[in-house]
Amino acid sequence: VNGNGFCANEVVQIDFGTSPTITTITSSVNGTFSATFLVDTQTPGTKVITAIDTEGNLATTTFILLPPTFLKIVPSSNLIAKNQEFDLDVMIDDVRNLKGAEVHLSFDPNLLEVLQLTDGTFASGGFVIKGSSSGKIDYTVILLSGSATGSGLLCSAKLKGKNAGTTSIRFEFDQIHNRMTMLADNQNQMIPFNKEESLVYVADALSVFPENQAISAGNTQNYSAFAICAVGSVNVTGSATFTATGGGSFTTNIFEAHYMGTWTIQAEFL
């Protein structure tokens, strides 16, 4: 921010929006100044910049504070069962004049595998390079004309749980191996952004509910199957196969009792 018409060699206080005295600067012998400051966290919108010296000379101007750009992996957390497929989206929020995006993701290849990688609807129609390998996803889009402003889906992937455990899915910023996640504008300048990453839990056990249920011959009982891990459970009833060691028969997850006795109910999720 630059100013003139102030007293010579005086301290000038700079206020920005809701932050009084975000910085100070000493004016020149001609009563001018040039100050630089880092904008702190404030709500987006029009902000007033006020400069005032020790003699009360004051000037104001306005500054539009834009919302920050975000790259997000959605969902931010997910609990799945072994062999269960799920969708993962890379979203971009509040970007301006996007010309190109390069996204590199990594995760534990022992726990997850990529089945499919597809283009998003944001920055569509551009030149796309995409691929995946063990524990990695790579997606680049470059607009051949114009630029994109706003928010939307950059790309999506379908993954599958392989083994029980917990893995983060994170953006990579590895210059040495040319795996730098970055955004560029139509002036070929890097666009700063914040990131939100993901955590995936692959369940390590399966539980059938209810347990130790007593029913009469000719009656029915609904059963549910839950994939269990250290942080919770996920209902996988619709994808589970239920069997009994005897005493009746299953129709999907509904057991009809035929004979007296003690029988074991089992569920398998593949």
Side-chain angles (χ1 to χ4, degrees):
V1 61
N2 301 314
N4 59 68
F6 293 85
C7 291
N9 300 316
E10 293 287 343
V11 174
V12 179
Q13 172 185 314
I14 310 296
D15 303 336
F16 178 81
T18 58
S19 298
T21 319
I22 198 167
T23 191
T24 58
I25 189 76
T26 300
S27 62
S28 69
V29 293
N30 299 317
T32 63
F33 71 85
S34 179
T36 301
F37 60 87
L38 180 65
V39 175
D40 57 1
T41 302
Q42 297 188 27
T43 57
T46 301
K47 305 297 176 182
V48 176
I49 302 175
T50 302
I52 183 169
D53 65 17
T54 53
E55 298 298 321
N57 296 303
L58 180 147
T60 63
T61 188
T62 57
F63 180 91
I64 298 177
L65 183 61
L66 298 173
T69 297
F70 271 87
L71 269 182
K72 300 178 180 179
I73 302 173
V74 179
S76 59
S77 65
N78 202 4
L79 172 59
I80 64 168
K82 181 180 177 180
N83 295 319
Q84 182 180 355
E85 298 177 7
F86 68 99
D87 293 323
L88 188 81
D89 294 334
V90 178
M91 306 294 297
I92 190 167
D93 286 352
D94 295 313
V95 70
R96 289 159 291 280
N97 301 320
L98 178 73
K99 187 68 174 179
E102 186 173 340
V103 174
H104 301 281
L105 305 181
S106 62
F107 51 87
D108 188 340
N110 295 313
L111 304 188
L112 300 175
E113 64 176 317
V114 179
L115 303 178
Q116 186 178 18
L117 183 59
T118 58
D119 301 342
T121 54
F122 190 81
S124 60
F127 176 70
V128 172
I129 303 173
K130 60 187 176 184
S132 63
S133 56
S134 179
K136 298 185 183 299
I137 292 174
D138 304 298
Y139 187 86
T140 298
V141 57
I142 302 171
L143 291 174
L144 301 180
S145 63
S147 60
T149 296
S151 305
L153 174 64
L154 198 59
C155 64
S156 61
K158 184 176 291 293
L159 295 94
K160 179 181 178 180
K162 294 172 60 178
N163 295 295
T166 303
T167 179
S168 60
I169 302 178
R170 59 191 180 275
F171 295 105
E172 286 200 72
F173 301 92
D174 184 353
Q175 287 184 319
I176 295 176
H177 298 95
N178 197 29
R179 296 184 57 79
M180 280 291 296
T181 297
M182 64 182 72
L183 305 175
D185 64 17
N186 51 8
Q187 301 297 318
N188 203 31
Q189 298 297 309
M190 294 299 101
I191 300 174
F193 62 90
N194 298 318
K195 61 184 174 69
E196 293 182 6
E197 298 175 317
S198 182
L199 195 61
V200 176
Y201 306 92
V202 184
D204 53 9
L206 195 65
S207 176
V208 176
F209 181 84
E211 299 178 0
N212 303 322
Q213 186 74 4
I215 61 174
S216 301
N219 290 344
T220 59
Q221 174 66 52
N222 286 23
Y223 283 90
S224 300
F226 293 87
I228 309 297
C229 77
V231 297
S233 63
V234 59
N235 191 325
V236 294
T237 302
S239 302
T241 301
F242 293 85
T243 58
T245 56
S249 60
F250 267 100
T251 302
T252 61
N253 66 313
I254 303 171
F255 179 74
E256 182 178 358
H258 296 164
Y259 314 110
M260 294 178 60
T262 300
W263 316 101
T264 301
I265 305 298
Q266 299 173 322
E268 186 176 5
F269 179 77
L270 296 177

